[in-house]
């Protein structure tokens, strides 16, 4: 048989059962073996005999043996003519009936199944030719030919059984019905809470789920530079309602006594600051675990005291980031001994859920009208959208009280909304959007509670005069050029009317009118003295008033109905006494306060509102020409202010550690998604940890270096025995230098390999081997961040270089700081051996710093090259050798071999695969990543590592690359002590995926 015929025959027989025995294959013949393949001549003679026999025999099959004598077969007759082997050798003499029947049964069932099943997804009537098809065949079976009617009936019955239940909100009209929309929205925000502006953001922003909320990350349109221009010259709006408000109520002395345990005057303001305690200004500070400063960092917070009203009890709001809420709330309950829940409010959410269940029963089917099953019909009360405290777990308490001190701790998250306006046009936006409420002494409708609290307060002449004073100061804000002109943290209370009434017909841009207030003495007094303490009072502190304002809000439907009844369409709508009065609180944000350049940049106002009024204020702000930003814009805002961002830049608190762990997981997944040929080999680049900053090991290594050297006697080389330059490699007894030459170009490539008895240089303190994904626990647990203002000012003065003769001495004496001597900085190192310092880096030349870039100490030769050539961009790191390449290749081969063995074992014994292998699997080695325990991170490269960058990018504010990060306090003092006077603060930056170092200026802004 030719090769083509063999392939054709094999293709035809490949789907046959295993029990079928073919002549050309081994089978259960007489001796258990297989006969030899016939020659082409034998095959031809056999085919001729079969053809001849088939022409002669035309009778039934049982008559075919009449041409042969008894005991003689066709094979014997053929062999007598010189043919090939007999048929008795080709066909078995006997078969096992049961096995043969079983094999044939399987073939017959497969054939019947193939015949009964359709080869396509078309219906029966679609198989007919086009000239035989009729329009009614799809639903009228009798239109089909009789031979196909039975199959069509079965298809119809099958379709009825498989038909899914009709969706309750399939029709768009039903989906857009208000009652169905609200029920659907409440259902979708069970896991992640929606802000009141969520739907507005979802149509215009990329949404992300973070910290239990669904938040807008960045606009869908290109607006990176536009948002920066808005923050610099116009106005940017942000919704910060996801920030959590923790309320403390109790006696002032008891509050201050316990709050002093979780804060320190060494870091700046405390809760006892006089200006903040009066309620006139907002304060900000860092919280620590009780009596554990400087360790046990909880996170940054802002706080507002309610102005004194003659009562002994005081009220305090502490605003925290949602990532820090649980830790801070737990610590507050611990120091105030609040273990008894004051109340568990479950009535509102339960009622809402019952209404939601009734609503779901109303729309049971789409085809039926709603009035048929809803007895009330159009009078049915729609499900109210859950807002504020209704978004919380109804069975979880949110208010606790101490039996010993009587102090109550309440969680008022989502009860108070918070918007932020950033930019110089914030004053114009506020004054055009908001109008002070008019004085009202009579109720508009005695049956409702609308504005009843306002009418009662307007009967008091002192409160009316206070409201008029607040309104006058609010109007004067339009005459100020920027919010930074106000004292930092100024608080202004106000009661305003419904901003929807003043909504313009189309979007406009609010512009200031400085000529109007050019010669106004009141504006100058506001510049100098600020807002009086009495004007900081607001009714938003009262829970009952906020609840009344939320419940008696005029709906959009009613407001539009009133607009439709105006005689002149588009004219101003005057609601008179029926207009809602909303208490708000305005808090000034000072913007950039540290440093000497761009002071006041990014300043603005925060607006605090009662819940339920989010969109009523949001849309009027948007119609005044603001640009809306998300989480990314907030990140850039803090980056240009050079302040730490929460929780990204807090490596010593639990939320910062969690953020670093999640970021590492995300970056590692993205790295593994790339093809191996497109990945950066970080081992060759000398980057030990490209996806997370090993803060704990960095500080530990610097502490070990100082203990080993015994002081600051050596230059800034990672290895004191050898001075390293750009063209040299490391000389270390624990390091082996390997030089590889390439014959094609004749140049030698310098490679570095750090080896030891186990293949990696391990630190003395690190004895156990850790996997790549498990190193983060030790990286961020053994360090603190230096936040002492006195020490930071001292370090900031030491970082300034000498630009002229004796300029540094004059600068230090002007700042009242001491010169850098061992008697001054050694006590600092003894007090903070493992501390990090927040620094700002500005590149001298081109370059764009990236996340997790290394901050290194330049050598003497680097500084000398920079002095000789001002265009010197920086040295280069010699390539390292990948010591894990062989391990990765070996693991890959073992994996392939193991996979083949598993396939073979599965074919032989499917149930014989042991389950222990899955448990023994460990994390695979990744080519290009350091897989063993980290060596000494400070001396792994040719330049000593000082710290890492947490945020870096090209700065639109200064026109060059800027970065923010942390450096080791020990390493910083070591560098400043050994650097020349005119080169103080010069460092090197190297991104994780590059070998090029870039010069940068290091500063500490306080």
């Amino acid at each position: 048989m030719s090769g083509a015929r063999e392939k054709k025959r094999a293709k035809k027989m490949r789907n046959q059962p295993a029990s079928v025995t073919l002549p050309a294959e081994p089978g259960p013949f007489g001796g258990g073996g297989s006969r030899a393949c016939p020659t082409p001549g034998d095959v031809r003679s056999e085919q001729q005999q079969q053809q001849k026999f088939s022409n002669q025999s035309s009778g039934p099959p049982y008559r075919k043996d009449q041409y042969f004598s008894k005991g003689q077969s066709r094979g014997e007759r053929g062999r007598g003519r010189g043919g090939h082997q007999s048929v008795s050798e080709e066909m078995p003499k006997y078969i096992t009936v049961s096995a043969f029947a079983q094999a044939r049964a399987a073939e017959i069932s497969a054939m019947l199944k193939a015949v009964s099943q359709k080869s396509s997804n078309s219906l029966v009537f679609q198989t007919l030719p086009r000239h035989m098809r009729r329009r009614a065949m799809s639903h009228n079976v009798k239109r089909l030919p009789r031979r196909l009617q039975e199959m069509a009936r079965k298809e119809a019955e099958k379709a009825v059984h498989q038909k899914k239940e009709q969706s309750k909100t399939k029709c768009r009209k039903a989906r857009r019905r208000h009652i169905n929309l609200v029920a659907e929205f409440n259902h979708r925000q069970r896991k992640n809470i929606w802000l009141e502006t969520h739907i507005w953001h979802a149509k215009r922003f990329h949404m992300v789920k973070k910290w239990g909320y669904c938040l807008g990350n960045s606009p869908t349109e290109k607006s990176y530079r536009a948002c920066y221009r808005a923050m610099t010259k116009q106005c940017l709006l942000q919704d910060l309602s996801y920030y959590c408000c923790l309320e403390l109520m109790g006696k002032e002395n008891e509050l201050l006594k316990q709050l002093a345990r979780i804060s320190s005057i060494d870091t700046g303001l405390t809760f006892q600051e006089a200006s903040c305690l009066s309620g006139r200004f907002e304060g900000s500070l860092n919280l620590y675990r009780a009596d554990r400063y400087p360790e046990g960092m909880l996170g940054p917070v802002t706080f507002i005291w309610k102005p004194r009203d003659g009562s002994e009890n005081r009220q305090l709001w502490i605003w925290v980031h949602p990532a820090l809420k649980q830790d801070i709330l737990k610590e507050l309950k611990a120091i105030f001994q609040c273990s008894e829940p004051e109340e568990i409010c479950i009535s509102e959410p339960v009622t809402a859920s019952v209404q939601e269940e009734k609503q779901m029963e109303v729309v049971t089917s789409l085809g039926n009208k709603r009035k048929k099953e809803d007895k009330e019909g159009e009078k049915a009360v729609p499900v109210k959208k859950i807002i504020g405290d209704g978004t919380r777990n109804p069975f979880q308490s949110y208010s606790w009280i101490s039996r010993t001190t009587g102090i109550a701790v309440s969680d008022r998250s989502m009860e108070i909304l918070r918007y932020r306006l950033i930019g110089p046009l914030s004053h114009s936006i506020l004054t055009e959007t908001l109008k002070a409420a008019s004085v009202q002494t009579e109720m508009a409708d005695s049956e409702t509670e609308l504005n009843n609290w306002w009418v009662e307060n307007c009967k008091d002449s002192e409160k009316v005069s206070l409201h008029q004073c607040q309104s006058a100061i609010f109007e004067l804000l339009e005459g100020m050029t920027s919010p930074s002109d106000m004292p930092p943290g100024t608080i202004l209370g106000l009661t305003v009317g419904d901003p929807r009434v003043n909504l313009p017909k189309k979007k406009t841009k609010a512009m200031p009118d400085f000529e109007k207030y050019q010669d106004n003495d009141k504006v100058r007094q506001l510049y100098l003295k600020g807002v009086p303490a009495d004007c900081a009072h607001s009714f938003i502190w009262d829970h009952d008033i906020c609840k009344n304002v939320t419940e008696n809000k005029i709906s959009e439907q009613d407001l539009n109905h009133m607009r439709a009844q105006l005689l002149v369409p588009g004219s101003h709508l005057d609601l008179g006494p029926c207009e809602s009065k909303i208490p708000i609180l305005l808090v000034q944000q000072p913007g950039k306060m540290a440093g000497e350049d761009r002071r006041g940049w990014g300043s603005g106002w925060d607006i605090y509102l009662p819940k339920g009024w989010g969109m009523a204020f949001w849309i009027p702000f948007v119609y005044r020409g603001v640009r809306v930003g998300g989480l990314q814009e907030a990140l850039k805002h803090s980056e240009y202010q050079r302040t730490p961002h929460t929780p990204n830049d807090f490596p010593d608190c639990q939320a910062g550690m969690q953020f670093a762990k999640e970021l590492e997981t995300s970056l590692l997944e993205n790295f593994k998604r790339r093809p191996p040929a497109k990945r950066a080999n970080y081992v060759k680049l000398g980057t030990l940890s490209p996806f997370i900053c090993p803060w704990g090991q960095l500080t530990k290594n610097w502490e070990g270096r100082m203990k080993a050297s015994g002081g600051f006697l050596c230059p800034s080389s990672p290895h004191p025995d050898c001075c390293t330059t750009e063209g040299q490699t490391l000389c270390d007894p624990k390091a082996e230098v390997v030089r590889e030459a390439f014959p094609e170009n004749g140049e030698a490539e310098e490679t570095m390999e750090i080896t030891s008895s186990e293949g990696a240089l391990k630190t003395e303190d690190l004895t156990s081997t850790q996997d790549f994904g498990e190193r983060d626990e030790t990286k961020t647990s053994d360090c603190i961040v230096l936040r002492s203002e006195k020490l930071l000012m001292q370090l900031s003065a030491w970082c300034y270089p000498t630009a002229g003769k004796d300029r540094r001495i004059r600068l230090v004496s002007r700042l009242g700081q001491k010169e850098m001597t061992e008697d001054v900085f050694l006590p600092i190192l003894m007090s903070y051996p493992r501390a990090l310092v927040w620094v700002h880096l500005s590149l001298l030349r081109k370059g764009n710093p990236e996340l997790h870039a290394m901050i290194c100490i330049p050598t003497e030769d680097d500084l000398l090259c920079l002095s000789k050539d001002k265009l010197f961009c920086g040295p280069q790191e010699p390539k390292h050798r990948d010591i894990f390449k062989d391990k990765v290749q070996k693991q890959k081969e073992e994996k392939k071999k193991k996979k083949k063995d598993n396939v073979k074992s599965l074919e032989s014994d499917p149930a014989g695969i042991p389950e222990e292998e899955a448990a023994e699997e460990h994390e695979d080695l990744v080519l290009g990543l350091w897989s063993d325990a980290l060596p000494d991170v400070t001396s792994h490269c040719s330049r000593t590592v000082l710290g890492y960058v947490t945020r870096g990018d090209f700065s639109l504010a200064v026109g060059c690359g800027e970065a923010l990060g942390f450096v080791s306090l020990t390493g910083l003092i070591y560098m400043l002590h050994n650097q020349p006077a005119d080169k103080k603060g010069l460092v090197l930056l190297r991104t994780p995926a590059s070998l090029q170092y870039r010069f940068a200026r290091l500063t500490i802004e306080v």
Side-chain angles (χ1 to χ4, degrees):
M1 185 182 293
S2 63
R5 289 185 177 181
E6 286 181 359
K7 291 181 180 179
K8 186 176 181 181
R9 183 171 178 274
K11 183 178 180 181
K12 185 184 297 182
M13 297 301 176
R14 64 185 177 184
N15 294 327
Q16 293 297 326
S19 59
V20 177
T21 305
L22 301 175
E25 297 178 358
F29 297 129
S34 61
R35 72 178 182 89
C37 246
T39 60
D42 296 338
V43 175
R44 194 180 301 112
S45 62
E46 183 183 4
Q47 291 175 353
Q48 292 173 359
Q49 291 179 13
Q50 290 179 357
Q51 184 178 3
K52 180 179 180 181
F53 173 74
S54 62
N55 294 334
Q56 292 176 356
S57 61
S58 57
Y62 59 86
R63 300 284 298 176
K64 288 183 180 180
D65 56 347
Q66 62 183 346
Y67 297 97
F68 305 101
S69 60
K70 186 175 182 180
Q72 190 180 24
S73 63
R74 285 185 299 174
E76 293 174 348
R77 290 172 62 90
R79 189 168 57 251
R81 300 176 191 170
H84 64 58
Q85 300 175 1
S86 63
V87 180
S88 60
E89 293 181 3
E90 182 177 337
M91 299 295 294
K93 293 182 179 180
Y94 58 88
I95 61 174
T96 305
V97 179
S98 59
F100 186 79
Q102 187 177 1
R104 302 292 79 72
E107 294 176 4
I108 294 172
S109 62
M111 180 184 67
L112 292 176
K113 184 178 180 180
V115 171
S116 60
Q117 286 185 348
K118 294 187 301 181
S119 60
S120 63
N121 295 328
S122 59
L123 299 174
V124 174
F125 74 92
Q126 292 175 331
T127 60
L128 291 172
R130 292 190 177 274
H131 70 279
M132 293 182 64
R133 297 183 190 181
R134 298 295 182 268
R135 179 176 55 84
M137 282 182 178
S138 59
H139 60 271
N140 190 357
V141 179
K142 294 183 179 180
R143 287 278 186 177
L144 287 165
R146 289 184 179 180
R147 61 184 178 86
L148 300 176
Q149 288 183 7
E150 187 63 27
M151 294 179 64
R153 288 192 187 93
K154 291 181 180 180
E155 274 188 356
E157 292 176 0
K158 186 177 180 181
V160 170
H161 291 299
Q162 291 184 349
K163 190 175 182 181
K164 296 181 179 179
E165 183 181 356
Q166 197 170 14
S167 175
K168 297 179 181 178
T169 57
K170 184 178 180 181
C171 175
R172 174 175 173 81
K173 182 179 180 181
R175 289 199 314 267
R176 300 303 299 175
R177 191 175 293 143
H178 178 71
I179 188 172
N180 295 347
L181 273 179
V182 173
E184 176 66 16
F185 293 161
N186 291 341
H187 177 77
R188 287 163 58 184
Q189 58 176 318
R190 288 182 179 179
K191 292 184 179 180
N192 296 283
I193 300 174
W194 289 4
L195 306 183
E196 293 190 14
T197 58
H198 171 82
I199 296 177
W200 190 95
H201 278 90
K203 296 177 180 179
R204 300 164 178 87
F205 275 69
H206 298 287
M207 307 300 290
V208 293
K209 296 177 181 178
K210 280 189 175 182
W211 313 304
Y213 294 89
C214 198
L215 306 174
N217 189 40
S218 59
T220 54
E221 62 180 357
K222 293 182 179 180
S223 58
Y224 179 80
R225 289 177 178 268
C227 289
Y228 170 75
R229 287 195 298 268
M231 288 185 284
T232 306
K233 300 179 180 179
Q234 301 167 12
C235 185
L236 184 79
L237 174 63
Q238 291 177 324
D239 189 355
L240 303 184
S241 302
Y242 59 91
Y243 269 71
C244 304
C245 178
L246 303 179
E247 185 180 70
L248 304 180
M249 295 184 66
K251 295 182 179 180
E252 181 178 326
N253 295 334
E254 293 291 340
L255 288 172
L256 295 177
K257 179 181 178 181
Q258 298 301 328
L259 290 174
R261 298 175 57 193
I262 60 176
S263 60
S264 174
I265 196 173
D266 192 28
T267 60
L269 295 178
T270 63
F271 291 100
Q272 299 179 1
E273 181 68 26
S275 59
C276 300
L277 193 60
S278 63
R280 186 182 176 188
F281 297 99
E282 179 191 49
S284 60
L285 50 80
N286 295 307
L287 295 186
Y288 295 83
R289 298 197 182 276
D291 306 322
R292 289 190 58 187
Y293 173 81
E295 299 177 353
M297 175 67 175
L298 291 175
V301 300
T302 58
F303 63 93
I304 301 175
W305 285 95
K306 180 182 178 182
R308 292 185 176 92
D309 54 359
S311 175
E312 187 180 5
N313 292 335
R314 293 297 302 273
Q315 197 170 346
L316 172 66
W317 281 353
I318 301 178
W319 288 88
V320 302
H321 192 275
L324 314 172
K325 171 185 169 183
Q326 294 302 327
D327 294 336
I328 295 178
L329 182 60
K330 182 180 179 181
E331 193 67 22
L332 289 175
K333 290 191 293 183
I335 63 174
F336 290 114
Q337 301 176 1
C338 297
S339 57
E340 190 74 19
E342 183 180 359
E343 60 179 351
I344 301 179
C345 183
I346 62 175
S347 58
E348 181 178 349
V350 169
T351 304
S353 62
V354 170
Q355 290 179 349
E356 183 177 350
E357 291 177 0
K358 291 182 179 180
Q359 179 269 337
M360 296 303 290
E361 293 175 358
V362 167
V363 282
T364 54
S365 63
L366 179 63
N368 299 332
K369 291 185 178 180
R370 183 172 50 159
K371 292 185 178 181
K372 288 187 177 181
E373 297 193 10
D374 186 5
K375 295 181 180 179
E376 297 178 352
E378 296 294 337
K379 298 180 181 179
V381 180
V383 181
K384 292 184 178 181
K385 183 177 180 180
I386 299 177
I387 56 175
D389 54 4
T391 59
R392 288 184 275 225
N393 186 353
F395 302 101
Q396 182 179 358
S397 58
Y398 59 91
S399 184
W400 304 265
I401 190 170
S402 174
R403 293 183 177 181
T404 57
T405 60
I407 293 176
V409 179
S410 302
D411 179 11
R412 299 202 65 192
S413 302
M414 299 296 294
E415 289 291 287
I416 304 296
L417 308 182
R418 184 177 177 182
Y419 294 160
R420 174 167 291 178
L421 294 171
I422 303 171
L425 295 185
S426 302
H427 289 156
S428 302
I429 300 293
L430 284 173
T431 53
E432 286 196 19
T433 305
L434 307 179
K435 302 297 180 182
S438 58
V439 178
Q440 182 179 350
T441 56
E442 295 182 358
M443 293 287 296
D445 189 358
S446 58
E447 296 180 358
T448 62
E449 298 181 356
L450 178 65
N451 298 335
N452 59 351
W453 63 273
W454 181 244
V455 173
E456 294 177 1
N457 284 284
C458 287
K459 294 178 181 178
D460 190 346
S461 58
E462 294 183 0
K463 294 182 178 180
V464 171
S465 61
L466 177 62
H467 173 67
Q468 293 175 351
C469 181
Q470 292 174 337
S471 303
I473 294 176
F474 178 72
E475 294 296 333
L476 291 176
L477 293 179
E478 189 179 0
M480 308 189 77
T481 57
S482 173
S484 60
D485 297 336
M486 299 287 291
T490 299
I491 297 176
L492 175 63
L494 191 63
T495 303
V496 298
D498 195 334
R500 297 172 294 178
V501 176
N502 303 321
L503 193 68
K505 296 180 182 180
K506 60 181 181 179
K507 285 187 178 182
T508 58
K509 187 175 182 180
M511 297 300 295
D513 186 9
F514 298 122
E515 296 179 357
K516 180 180 178 182
Y517 301 94
Q518 188 173 3
D519 298 329
N520 198 325
D521 294 336
K522 295 182 179 179
V523 175
R524 284 191 284 270
Q525 291 295 326
L526 191 61
Y527 271 112
L528 299 175
K529 297 182 180 180
V531 179
D534 296 340
C535 294
H537 177 270
S538 175
F539 294 105
I540 198 173
W541 292 94
D542 195 326
H543 296 189
D544 296 332
I545 292 179
C546 289
K547 185 178 179 180
N548 182 291
V549 170
T550 301
E551 293 178 351
N552 293 282
K553 173 189 172 185
I554 302 176
S555 65
E556 291 286 343
Q557 183 179 5
D558 296 340
L559 207 61
N560 292 333
H561 184 67
M562 295 177 187
R563 288 196 182 103
Q565 293 179 347
L566 290 174
L567 294 178
V568 181
S571 60
H572 177 72
L573 178 63
D574 187 9
L575 298 179
C578 297
E579 183 180 0
S580 300
K581 309 298 188 295
I582 307 102
I584 65 171
L585 201 64
L586 300 176
V587 181
Q588 190 262 3
Q589 296 299 316
K592 187 178 184 299
M593 299 181 64
E596 298 180 355
D597 59 329
R598 298 186 295 112
R599 294 185 66 89
W601 183 93
S603 59
W605 288 88
D606 282 4
I607 304 102
Y608 296 87
L609 313 168
K611 67 176 182 180
W613 284 88
M615 290 304 297
F617 280 75
W618 185 266
I619 297 300
F621 282 142
V622 172
Y623 266 69
R624 259 66 183 198
V626 301
R627 181 170 288 275
V628 182
L631 296 178
Q632 290 299 319
E633 284 67 35
L635 184 66
K636 286 297 176 184
H637 179 239
S638 64
E639 182 177 329
Y640 288 140
Q641 289 188 95
R642 300 171 187 171
T643 56
H645 189 70
T646 310
N648 310 23
D649 301 321
F650 289 86
D652 55 341
C653 75
Q654 192 64 32
M657 298 178 194
Q658 182 66 24
F659 174 83
K661 186 186 300 183
E662 294 174 357
L663 180 62
E664 180 192 21
T665 304
S666 175
L667 294 177
L668 182 59
E669 289 177 356
N670 293 337
F671 179 79
K672 290 181 178 180
R673 286 196 200 104
R674 298 177 67 88
K678 303 300 180 183
R679 300 175 187 170
N681 192 324
Y682 292 108
V683 179
K684 287 187 176 182
L685 295 171
T687 305
L688 292 175
S689 183
F691 305 135
I692 192 171
C693 301
W695 302 118
Q697 188 157 348
L698 175 70
T699 55
K700 189 184 299 182
N701 293 151
W702 269 108
E703 184 185 19
R705 286 169 62 91
M706 292 303 102
K707 288 181 179 178
S709 62
F712 300 94
L713 303 176
C714 305
S716 59
S717 170
H719 307 282
D721 299 336
C722 173
C723 181
T724 62
T725 61
E726 184 182 358
Q728 296 176 345
T729 53
L730 301 185
C731 298
D732 189 34
K734 297 182 181 179
E736 180 183 355
V737 180
V738 180
R739 292 177 179 267
E740 298 179 357
F742 291 91
E744 55 268 20
N745 53 12
E747 297 179 357
E749 180 183 2
E750 302 169 2
T751 61
M752 300 169 57
E753 178 186 4
I754 298 180
T755 60
S756 68
S757 59
E758 299 177 359
L761 176 63
K762 295 179 175 58
T763 57
E764 297 176 358
D765 300 332
L766 206 59
T767 58
S768 61
T769 303
Q770 300 171 340
D771 292 336
F772 181 80
E774 299 175 355
R775 294 199 302 263
D776 51 4
E777 296 180 1
T778 59
K779 287 179 181 179
T780 57
S781 58
D782 299 331
C783 65
I784 61 172
V785 177
L786 182 66
R787 296 185 175 90
S788 173
E789 286 192 349
K790 182 179 179 182
L791 295 180
L792 289 176
M793 290 181 66
Q794 181 73 74
L795 291 172
S796 177
W798 288 345
C799 290
Y800 280 100
T802 301
K805 185 178 180 180
D806 297 331
R807 181 177 183 273
R808 177 169 177 75
I809 298 176
R810 293 196 303 270
L811 178 64
V812 173
S813 61
R814 178 171 59 85
L815 295 176
Q817 305 298 332
K818 302 177 182 179
E819 282 294 329
M820 190 176 187
T821 59
E822 291 191 5
D823 297 337
V824 178
F825 63 71
L826 283 180
I828 299 176
L829 296 179
M830 296 296 293
S831 302
Y832 301 95
R834 295 185 181 180
L836 299 173
V837 182
W838 175 256
V839 296
H840 164 253
L841 302 156
S842 179
L843 293 177
L844 300 185
R845 301 277 181 266
K846 65 180 181 179
N848 191 18
E850 297 178 1
L851 180 67
H852 301 152
M854 289 167 282
I855 307 171
C856 304
I857 302 177
T859 63
E860 293 180 357
D861 292 344
D862 297 337
L863 298 176
L864 185 61
C865 292
L866 182 63
S867 300
K868 292 180 179 179
D869 184 9
K870 297 299 182 182
L871 300 179
F872 178 60
C873 58
Q876 279 198 348
E877 174 72 16
K879 276 191 177 181
H880 296 233
R881 186 185 174 204
D882 190 354
I883 62 177
F884 302 103
K885 186 175 181 179
D886 296 336
K887 293 182 180 180
V888 174
Q889 191 68 23
K890 185 178 179 181
Q891 186 190 54
K892 188 183 295 185
E893 293 175 357
E894 291 177 355
K895 198 172 181 181
K896 288 182 179 179
K897 184 178 178 182
K898 189 177 180 181
K899 188 175 181 180
K900 291 180 180 179
D901 296 342
N902 291 340
V903 172
K904 290 181 180 179
S905 60
L906 182 62
E907 291 177 353
S908 60
D909 187 9
I913 301 177
E915 298 180 358
E916 299 177 358
E917 297 179 359
E920 294 178 357
E921 289 183 359
H922 56 84
E923 188 173 0
D924 295 338
L925 300 178
V926 182
L927 183 64
L929 297 180
W930 193 275
S931 303
D932 286 345
L934 290 183
D936 190 342
V937 296
T938 60
S939 59
H940 180 71
C941 301
S942 61
R943 304 302 187 273
T944 306
V945 176
L946 187 63
Y948 295 94
V949 169
T950 59
R951 280 185 289 157
D953 200 356
F954 182 84
S955 175
L956 298 176
V958 295
C960 68
E962 282 193 337
L964 300 170
F966 292 94
V967 297
S968 170
L969 173 63
T970 307
L972 178 63
I973 295 178
Y974 170 80
M975 180 191 74
L976 296 175
H977 179 70
N978 292 285
Q979 278 186 335
D982 59 339
K983 303 295 183 183
K984 295 286 186 183
L986 280 181
V987 295
L988 293 172
L989 277 182
R990 182 165 73 92
T991 57
S994 174
L995 294 173
Q996 180 68 49
Y997 288 95
R998 302 284 184 185
F999 281 101
R1001 175 74 62 189
L1002 183 146
T1003 56
I1004 300 174
E1005 297 186 347
V1006 186

